[in-house]
Structures are given as structure tokens and as C-alpha cells.
Amino acid sequence: MPNMTITRFYGESGSDQLEVRNDYLTSLSDLTTNSKPLINTLSILAGEHRRYGKIICEVIEGHILKVSTKLPCLYLIDSIIKNIGAPYIEHFARCIVRIFTDTFLKADEKTRKLLFKLRSTWRDIFPVERLRDLDASIRDIDPNWPKLTEIENPGTVHINPNFLKVNSEIECLVNL
């Protein structure tokens, strides 16, 4: 369960923060199906209240861990991180493994395929280390979950230094 205490921000009252928390939670409680218009509205609200990004992330995290229909909330997170970006990427990076794993555990096979598709779009958004953690957590549940980070980032390419030396010698001879 996320920490539901309200962090004081310089120049903002606790009542403003509480109001944002309560208003966002009220709006979020309407997200019971995959409603693109509602996801867009909630994303716009998150964008308008960036300075309360940590609070909004806490509200979404707390909500998704309580509700039975979790996929629409993950689509909301996806919309926020892709359309709004900072500060939400940083805040959601801290809890995405837990949220995603909780959702995966309670999902049927059809939803798990949708989760895989969703996760596949995050390679340029969340840090690679966080995505590796997410994939490892899911592989603990389903050993067939692909190692996406290896597919996405196959590692470094090793070049034989002798190959470079031979090619530079050939280039020198050609330029003579």
C-alpha cells in the first residue's frame, strides 16, 4: 500500500494537495472499463497538475492495487507517461514493477497478452534496469515471459581489433 501521507510542497497548502488527491481519486473511481475518453481526461488532469505528480501517482498506485479491473489503470499510466512525461515517468518507475506484477498475477490469459503488448511499448520510457526487474518479476510467475530487455538491448558489439588494423592498412594502400 502506498504511503498516503501528503508531502508539503513549497508555496502550496496541504488543503490544495488534499483537494487534488480527493478530486483525482473521485475521477479515477469512474475508470472501470477501458474508456479512452476518460483515460484522456485523467491524463489531461495529470498534465494540468504536474506539480502534484507524486500525489497523483500515489492515488493511481493505491487505486490499482485495490480494484479488480486493473488493465484500464495501466492504460492510464501508459497514457500519462507517454503524453505528459515528467515528473510522472520518474514517479511511476518506482512502483511500476509492483503494479504490473500485481495486475499480471490477477489477469486471465487474454489480459496477460495485452499486458505483454503494453510492456513492449515502454522500452524507450522507463530505465532498462527497471524493465529488467519487471521482466524478471513476471518470469517468476510465467517462465515463458520473454526477456524483452535482451531483445531490445542486445548488448555491445565486439569488433576484432585485428580486423580494424587490416582495414586501415588496406585503406592506406588504396590512398597511395
Side-chain angles (χ1 to χ4, degrees):
M1 186 96 185
N3 180 358
M4 298 304 273
T5 60
I6 298 175
T7 307
R8 288 239 178 239
F9 291 89
Y10 178 76
E12 298 171 3
S13 71
S15 63
D16 289 346
Q17 295 171 35
L18 187 58
E19 185 177 339
V20 167
R21 178 184 295 280
N22 291 338
D23 288 350
Y24 202 85
L25 184 56
T26 299
S27 298
L28 185 59
S29 66
D30 294 334
L31 186 61
T32 56
T33 62
N34 186 16
S35 167
K36 182 74 169 150
L38 185 53
I39 289 171
N40 287 342
T41 299
L42 288 164
S43 297
I44 290 167
L45 283 171
E48 290 173 352
H49 294 93
R50 283 178 201 251
R51 69 178 172 263
Y52 300 104
K54 183 177 180 188
I55 291 170
I56 290 173
C57 287
E58 289 173 356
V59 168
I60 295 170
E61 180 185 8
H63 180 76
I64 197 170
L65 294 174
K66 290 179 191 172
V67 297
S68 58
T69 307
K70 298 173 180 296
L71 190 58
C73 292
L74 269 173
Y75 286 147
L76 171 62
I77 291 170
D78 183 68
S79 175
I80 291 171
I81 61 175
K82 288 177 179 171
N83 296 307
I84 309 301
Y88 294 100
I89 294 171
E90 179 184 337
H91 292 309
F92 281 121
R94 294 181 184 136
C95 61
I96 197 64
V97 173
R98 181 166 54 145
I99 290 171
F100 196 93
T101 302
D102 182 69
T103 302
F104 192 87
L105 273 169
K106 297 171 180 150
D108 59 20
E109 198 59 36
K110 180 182 173 188
T111 304
R112 286 182 173 191
K113 287 179 183 180
L114 293 171
L115 288 168
F116 174 77
K117 191 174 178 180
L118 180 64
R119 156 56 188 97
S120 298
T121 68
W122 291 345
R123 71 171 185 247
D124 295 326
I125 297 171
F126 288 119
V128 172
E129 304 81 34
R130 183 62 59 196
L131 294 175
R132 277 192 200 116
D133 294 344
L134 187 154
D135 292 341
S137 179
I138 300 303
R139 272 195 309 283
D140 287 344
I141 300 163
D142 180 359
N144 294 320
W145 184 267
K147 295 180 180 181
L148 289 174
T149 48
E150 291 177 6
I151 295 168
E152 295 161 355
N153 184 9
T156 56
V157 176
H158 297 282
I159 298 174
N160 183 339
N162 292 328
F163 176 79
L164 291 175
K165 182 180 177 186
V166 169
N167 279 341
S168 67
E169 289 172 359
I170 291 172
E171 191 174 303
C172 288
L173 291 174
V174 170
N175 290 332
L176 286 178

